[in-house]
Amino acid sequence: DQQVKQNSPSLSVQEGRISILNCDYTNSMFDYFLWYKKYPAEGPTFLISISSIKDKNEDGRFTVFLNKSAKHLSLHIVPSQPGDSAVYFCAASDDYKLSFGAGTTVTVRA
Amino acid sequence: NAGVMQNPRHLVRRRGQEARLRCSPMKGHSHVYWYRQLPEEGLKFMVYLQKENIIDESGMPKERFSAEFPKEGPSILRIQQVVRGDSAAYFCASRADGGRGNEQFFGPGTRLTVL
């Protein structure tokens, strides 16, 4: 059963514009949410996270929004840069086990 | 401070052979997690180990797969009698004692191809 879903497999955005990545989850026990970035042939690297007691967390160009009632979170990247081209995974946990979405491939066009 | 190390990075096996994947956690980390990523899918939890103990293996297939994390040396994920469906990327992650369970640092992965 897919508890974390990223329904957009790909996203193309122009350099300087905003990238918005979406993620939905089904397990109401999840209390911590993370975004990872992954380049080809590398492991996922942590980007930003948010606890279920918050609805927004910001770190530089990256902001994560959490809507608990809708079981939805999003990642905003602004402005998008060429180095942001990668696969982005949404993950959720209620303890130590991370449940991942299938990923969204972001391509930033010059 | 070296990150999580995995070897080999690429492994090719024929059906029926054994695959051994190794993971050296970050220095000072005693918690290790293994995840598997099938093509076009996200990473899926397989097993959580602490030194010499398996804490949670609920994501491991019941047959052919085993994992260990001995007192000395790397964690090993062992797949016996591999089949084509085992072809995937296997990622190891580690965390420190006292850290949140979800503050996991990932290695570069081992890409297993079964011919």
Side-chain angles (χ1 to χ4, degrees):
Chain A
D1 63 334
Q2 192 75 7
Q3 298 188 78
V4 179
K5 292 183 181 177
Q6 293 177 256
N7 291 320
S8 298
S10 63
L11 173 70
S12 180
V13 64
Q14 194 161 11
E15 182 179 0
R17 300 291 185 107
I18 185 171
S19 295
I20 300 177
L21 291 80
N22 294 301
C23 178
D24 297 293
Y25 62 96
T26 57
N27 188 343
S28 57
M29 297 301 291
F30 288 146
D31 64 357
Y32 203 73
F33 304 88
L34 309 92
W35 285 93
Y36 283 85
K37 179 179 179 179
K38 185 181 178 306
Y39 293 118
E42 295 184 12
T45 54
F46 171 77
L47 200 54
I48 192 169
S49 63
I50 187 166
S51 164
S52 60
I53 61 173
K54 294 186 174 181
D55 55 17
K56 178 182 174 182
N57 188 27
E58 199 170 347
D59 184 2
R61 295 185 299 115
F62 304 92
T63 303
V64 56
F65 297 92
L66 175 63
N67 182 334
K68 280 183 62 180
S69 61
K71 294 193 178 68
H72 177 84
L73 64 155
S74 61
L75 174 68
H76 292 207
I77 308 173
V78 56
S80 300
Q81 298 174 352
D84 295 332
S85 295
V87 179
Y88 289 78
F89 290 99
C90 169
S93 78
D94 58 359
D95 186 5
Y96 52 77
K97 205 181 297 185
L98 293 177
S99 296
F100 283 83
T104 297
T105 301
V106 173
T107 303
V108 180
R109 308 186 310 272
Chain B
N1 186 16
V4 178
M5 310 280 282
Q6 289 187 249
N7 70 81
R9 295 292 307 275
H10 300 274
L11 183 61
V12 179
R13 286 287 178 265
R14 295 191 181 280
R15 279 180 298 170
Q17 291 185 317
E18 178 179 289
R20 279 187 181 235
L21 289 63
R22 294 173 191 77
C23 169
S24 296
M26 288 179 69
K27 189 175 181 180
H29 287 195
S30 60
H31 301 257
V32 165
Y33 308 80
W34 285 92
Y35 292 82
R36 176 167 67 174
Q37 183 185 22
L38 295 171
E40 310 300 322
E41 294 186 14
L43 284 72
K44 288 190 167 46
F45 169 81
M46 297 181 74
V47 61
Y48 164 32
L49 309 104
Q50 252 184 299
K51 281 289 187 180
E52 300 182 271
N53 292 304
I54 296 175
I55 307 301
D56 182 347
E57 56 181 349
S58 59
M60 285 261 276
K62 295 287 185 283
E63 297 177 352
R64 303 187 297 108
F65 284 71
S66 62
E68 62 177 12
F69 188 17
K71 189 176 180 182
E72 302 290 338
S75 175
I76 307 284
L77 180 67
R78 183 182 177 207
I79 312 172
Q80 296 178 289
Q81 300 174 325
V82 295
V83 301
R84 288 222 173 101
D86 296 333
S87 295
Y90 293 82
F91 292 96
C92 165
S94 74
R95 75 166 171 92
D97 278 339
R100 282 184 63 106
N102 39 41
E103 287 177 345
Q104 299 171 20
F105 297 84
F106 283 83
T110 294
R111 274 139 193 89
L112 172 65
T113 302
V114 180
L115 302 177

